[in-house]
């Protein structure tokens, strides 16, 4: 135990140097708060997971984890500017055949927001570190240090977004490089991420016809390091109600990698409101492989396509799925069944079935208990990628 403590202290000393600029900014922000107006709180979570992978269940893996988060929000400058922030410390302890202790510290949110009203429009400006995703959520979905401008006109909403990833913690925000290989560093606490500049421009027309919404989006990710792996995406989406209980969204994203390789991600999502407490989702996703003039799809943020023991990235697959969501008072549950078709080249292979479930109970207003599990049944390689996991989580807010 003494050796572990010494190791953590030494590692944390190096981390302080990497986070120096962020800590100074946070300290300055706190000095601006009005003590009578700010709010704060926290979240403490206990997490336990057991996992079986492969053809047999003879070698289970266990993980115990705790996390603690603190958040604060406050108006600044006579309430013309609003600040919100959150920081989290988390550790994972994997035990079984091999013991491994792993710690992560992160600034989840450091955001300034302000609104400017014009004669026929309202503009919202966000600056700092905050969460952002593209129209589909399949390309870009993560925290980022950025500035965004959202302008609402009479018949259109326009978004401009410019960011930088070099100060993020690469442990929590995993980005992909060439051949869908994640940018990963060895170490704990806070590891600066690969340097990219994301740029997003989008237009939303909320009611083009029959209350249908039409979206256009262009995304660019410029690599500032030696890899020079630049990516560009263009998305068009149409969504809206079919009836009072049925809604849909259809989208298609065309990508270009240094304008040498071209990719596609397309999806169809339908939602059926069966009752006040029951929701049914039927979805279909396609991420290109080497078909026609397309190459294997590569997003920007790492996203697992299905829960096999390899946890593959979203690429070269067709994924039909059905979700059922039930909620009643303080109880919530969600179940999902996804069939996995591997589509790397011309031939389509039925690869497996991915089943997930989640049960959540709000025992009190500040206490939540959840139970979740997954089972991936590998049918293509005779169980080599089987995966079973059960998670228990308890969260307390204050």
């Amino acid at each position: 135990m003494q050796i572990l403590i010494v190791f953590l202290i030494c590692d944390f000393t190096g981390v302080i140097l990497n986070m120096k600029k962020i800590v100074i900014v946070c300290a300055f922000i706190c000095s601006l708060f009005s003590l009578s107006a700010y709010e704060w709180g926290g979240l403490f979570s206990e997490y336990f997971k057991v996992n079986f992978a492969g053809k047999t269940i003879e070698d289970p893996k266990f993980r115990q984890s705790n996390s603690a988060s603190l958040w604060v929000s406050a108006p600044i400058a006579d309430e013309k500017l609003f600040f919100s922030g959150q920081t989290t410390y988390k550790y994972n302890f994997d035990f079984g055949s091999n013991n491994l202790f792993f710690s992560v510290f992160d600034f989840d949110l450091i955001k300034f927001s302000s609104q400017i009203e014009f004669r026929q429009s309202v503009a919202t400006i966000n600056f700092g570190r905050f969460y952002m995703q593209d129209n589909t959520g399949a390309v870009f979905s993560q925290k980022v240090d950025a500035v965004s401008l959202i302008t609402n006109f009479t018949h259109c909403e326009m978004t401009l977004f410019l960011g930088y990833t070099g100060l993020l913690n690469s442990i929590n925000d995993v980005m992909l490089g060439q051949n869908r290989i994640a940018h990963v560093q060895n170490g704990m606490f806070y590891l600066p991420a690969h340097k990219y500049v994301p740029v997003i421009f989008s237009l939303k027309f909320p009611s083009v016809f029959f209350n249908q919404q039409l979206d256009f989006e262009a995304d660019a990710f410029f690599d500032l390091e030696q890899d020079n792996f630049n990516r560009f995406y263009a998305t068009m989406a149409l969504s809206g109600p079919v009836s009072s209980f049925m809604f849909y969204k259809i989208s298609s994203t065309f990508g270009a990698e240094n304008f040498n390789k071209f990719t596609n991600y397309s999806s169809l999502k339908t939602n059926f409101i069966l009752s006040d407490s029951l929701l049914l989702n039927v979805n279909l996703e396609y991420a290109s492989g080497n078909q026609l003039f397309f190459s294997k799809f590569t997003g920007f943020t790492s996203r697992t396509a299905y829960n096999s023991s390899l946890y593959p990235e979203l690429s070269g697959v067709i994924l039909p799925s059905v979700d059922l969501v039930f909620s009643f008072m303080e109880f919530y549950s969600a179940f999902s069944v996804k069939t996995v078709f591997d589509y790397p080249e011309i031939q389509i292979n039925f690869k497996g079935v991915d089943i997930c479930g989640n049960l959540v109970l709000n025992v009190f207003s500040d206490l939540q208990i959840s139970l979740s599990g997954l089972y991936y049944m590998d049918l293509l390689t005779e169980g080599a990628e089987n995966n079973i996991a059960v998670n228990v989580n308890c969260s307390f807010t204050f």
Side-chain angles (χ1 to χ4, degrees):
M1 184 65 180
Q2 292 177 343
I3 296 175
L4 177 61
I5 293 174
V6 171
F7 172 73
L8 294 178
I9 293 174
C10 293
D11 198 17
F12 191 67
T13 302
V15 171
I16 292 176
L17 299 177
N18 291 328
M19 299 189 298
K20 185 177 180 180
K21 293 181 180 179
I22 300 177
V23 173
I24 292 174
V25 171
C26 291
F28 174 73
I29 292 169
C30 292
S31 68
L32 301 176
F33 289 165
S34 171
L35 295 179
S36 61
Y38 86 97
E39 298 179 349
W40 70 278
L43 173 68
F44 179 81
S45 294
E46 166 71 25
Y47 173 88
F48 182 80
K49 174 182 178 181
V50 58
N51 181 221
F52 302 90
K55 294 183 178 181
T56 65
I57 56 174
E58 298 176 354
D59 185 22
K61 298 179 180 179
F62 301 92
R63 167 170 289 184
Q64 188 272 329
S65 177
N66 285 116
S67 67
S69 300
L70 291 174
W71 62 266
V72 63
S73 62
I76 303 175
D78 297 329
E79 300 188 359
K80 295 181 180 179
L81 187 65
F82 191 83
F83 171 78
S84 53
Q86 179 174 305
T87 184
T88 300
Y89 169 78
K90 178 181 179 179
Y91 77 81
N92 296 325
F93 178 51
D94 296 333
F95 57 96
S97 56
N98 295 313
N99 294 336
L100 176 64
F101 183 85
F102 189 79
S103 291
V104 185
F105 179 77
D106 205 353
F107 294 96
D108 306 309
L109 182 67
I110 310 172
K111 185 174 76 169
F112 296 90
S113 298
S114 182
Q115 280 194 344
I116 302 174
E117 295 185 6
F118 300 99
R119 179 175 298 179
Q120 295 182 341
S121 64
V122 177
T124 301
I125 301 175
N126 298 313
F127 174 81
R129 174 171 297 183
F130 50 91
Y131 177 82
M132 183 69 177
Q133 72 172 26
D134 73 300
N135 184 277
T136 66
V139 174
F140 182 67
S141 180
Q142 63 176 77
K143 299 190 299 292
V144 66
D145 298 316
V147 58
S148 71
L149 173 65
I150 304 171
T151 306
N152 290 287
F153 300 101
T154 304
H155 301 291
C156 176
E157 178 184 290
M158 181 182 70
T159 299
L160 292 171
F161 174 89
L162 175 66
Y164 176 70
T165 65
L167 296 176
L168 298 175
N169 189 342
S170 62
I171 302 173
N172 285 335
D173 295 290
V174 182
M175 298 171 290
L176 301 178
Q178 297 187 53
N179 300 317
R180 295 156 301 284
I181 298 175
H183 296 292
V184 177
Q185 301 183 57
N186 294 321
M188 291 198 297
F189 290 109
Y190 204 104
L191 304 176
H194 194 92
K195 298 180 179 66
Y196 287 99
V197 173
V199 181
I200 297 176
F201 172 74
S202 69
L203 291 172
K204 294 183 180 180
F205 300 92
S207 184
V208 287
F209 57 90
F210 301 112
N211 291 324
Q212 307 301 296
Q213 177 172 300
L214 181 63
D215 298 339
F216 297 98
E217 182 174 286
D219 310 326
F221 303 93
F222 299 99
D223 190 347
L224 301 184
E225 300 194 19
Q226 294 180 352
D227 296 350
N228 196 31
F229 184 49
N230 302 315
R231 276 159 285 182
F232 308 90
Y233 303 88
T235 300
M236 183 173 69
L238 185 67
S239 60
V242 177
S243 64
S244 60
F245 64 90
M246 179 181 176
F247 300 81
Y248 78 98
K249 179 179 179 180
I250 183 169
S251 67
S252 188
T253 300
F254 295 90
E257 302 174 4
N258 288 329
F259 292 107
N260 294 324
K261 296 181 179 180
F262 298 93
T263 63
N264 178 256
Y265 168 82
S266 298
S267 67
L268 171 62
K269 300 180 179 180
T270 56
N271 313 117
F272 300 88
I273 303 175
L274 303 182
S275 68
D276 292 339
S277 57
L278 192 61
L279 177 67
L280 175 67
N281 302 323
V282 180
N283 307 319
L284 177 64
E285 295 179 278
Y286 161 75
S288 65
N290 294 317
Q291 295 100 28
L292 300 176
F293 52 84
F294 291 130
S295 298
K296 291 186 176 180
F297 175 78
T298 302
F300 181 81
T301 305
S302 175
R303 178 190 162 185
T304 299
Y306 51 93
N307 293 303
S308 82
S309 58
L310 301 180
Y311 294 101
E313 295 293 338
L314 182 63
S315 182
V317 290
I318 299 175
L319 303 172
S321 64
V322 177
D323 308 328
L324 189 63
V325 179
F326 174 78
S327 61
F328 180 74
M329 298 184 69
E330 304 302 323
F331 177 76
Y332 168 88
S333 65
F335 300 93
S336 174
V337 178
K338 180 185 296 183
T339 52
V340 180
F341 293 90
D342 196 25
Y343 194 19
E345 305 288 343
I346 299 176
Q347 185 176 354
I348 300 176
N349 301 307
F350 180 39
K351 188 171 178 62
V353 179
D354 191 4
I355 304 172
C356 301
N358 188 26
L359 303 174
V360 179
L361 178 63
N362 294 314
V363 182
F364 302 108
S365 60
D366 55 1
L367 179 62
Q368 182 183 92
I369 298 174
S370 65
L371 173 67
S372 61
L374 63 88
Y375 174 41
Y376 177 75
M377 181 168 51
D378 178 16
L379 301 176
L380 184 62
T381 55
E382 299 179 352
E385 295 183 25
N386 282 351
N387 195 25
I388 302 173
V390 178
N391 314 301
V392 179
N393 183 70
C394 180
S395 299
F396 174 75
T397 58
F398 57 91

